[in-house]
């Protein structure tokens, strides 16, 4: 896989201590914490199992994300999120990539499909409106 994907940066959506994202007050847990743990596992698997040079960041502000991504100079960037809402179309897990079809989409699709196998009770939000 590493020869097809190149260097990877995974942004774990939101940021602990700044913007928790979706919050479940009953369970005292938030999106930023859960996505960070999932992304840590993903980066570890990409590094160890697939030989991919993968890095994890967790930033809330777009400019901070861009600065960290640019400093790492990756070939592929994905951003993982878990959304909660009363509106069914605005909830569920999703992975953002850059616009258009590229290697980010290949990795995102692979990760997305692996997550769907592991987390069968979770709603998976899919939007292919930009053709990828």
């Amino acid at each position: 896989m590493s020869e097809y994907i190149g260097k990877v940066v995974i942004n774990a959506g939101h940021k602990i201590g700044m913007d928790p994202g979706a919050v479940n007050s009953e369970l005292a847990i938030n999106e930023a914490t859960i996505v960070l743990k999932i992304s840590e596992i993903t980066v570890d698997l990409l590094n160890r199992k697939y030989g991919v040079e993968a890095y994890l960041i967790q930033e809330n502000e777009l400019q901070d994300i861009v600065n960290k991504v640019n400093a790492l100079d990756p070939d592929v960037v994905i951003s993982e999120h878990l959304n909660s809402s009363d509106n069914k179309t605005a909830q569920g897990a999703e992975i953002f990539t850059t616009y258009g079809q590229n290697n980010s989409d290949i990795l995102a699709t692979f990760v997305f499909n692996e997550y769907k196998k592991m987390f069968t009770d979770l709603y998976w939000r899919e939007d292919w409106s930009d053709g990828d």
Side-chain angles (χ1 to χ4, degrees), residues 8 15 35 42 46-47 60 70 93 109 114-116 121-122:
V8 172
K15 187 170 184 178
V35 171
T42 303
L46 287 171
N47 286 326
N60 189 55
N70 285 341
T109 301
E114 291 302 306
Y115 286 170
K116 284 168 64 172
D121 291 341
L122 194 58

Side-chain angles (χ1 to χ4, degrees), residues 36-56:
L36 179 60
K37 294 298 180 194
I38 291 170
S39 296
E40 286 171 345
I41 292 166
T42 303
V43 166
D44 184 55
L45 284 171
L46 287 171
N47 286 326
R48 287 186 309 104
K49 185 173 181 180
Y50 296 103
V52 173
E53 184 181 354
Y55 298 90
L56 173 66

Side-chain angles (χ1 to χ4, degrees), residues 7 9 55 57 63-74:
K7 187 192 291 185
V9 170
Y55 298 90
I57 64 172
Q63 191 58 55
D64 295 334
I65 295 167
V66 169
N67 291 343
K68 284 204 172 181
V69 166
N70 285 341
L72 290 165
D73 192 30

Side-chain angles (χ1 to χ4, degrees), residues 68-81:
K68 284 204 172 181
V69 166
N70 285 341
L72 290 165
D73 192 30
D75 302 293
V76 172
V77 180
I78 63 174
S79 186
E80 302 180 323
H81 293 265

Side-chain angles (χ1 to χ4, degrees), residues 2 4 10 18 20 23 41 50 52 54 69 76 79 88-89 94 103 105 108 116-119 122 124 128-129 131:
S2 61
Y4 301 110
I10 295 178
M18 290 185 73
V23 176
I41 292 166
Y50 296 103
V52 173
V69 166
V76 172
S79 186
K88 276 279 200 201
T89 63
E94 60 189 346
N103 284 348
D105 299 293
K116 284 168 64 172
K117 291 178 201 173
M118 294 187 308
F119 305 106
L122 194 58
W124 293 93
W128 303 93
S129 61

Side-chain angles (χ1 to χ4, degrees), residues 80-108:
E80 302 180 323
H81 293 265
L82 298 171
N83 304 309
S84 177
S85 174
D86 292 334
N87 179 349
K88 276 279 200 201
T89 63
Q91 65 176 265
E94 60 189 346
I95 299 174
F96 293 104
T97 65
T98 54
Y99 183 79
Q101 185 68 34
N102 55 50
N103 284 348
S104 294
D105 299 293
I106 294 168
L107 179 63

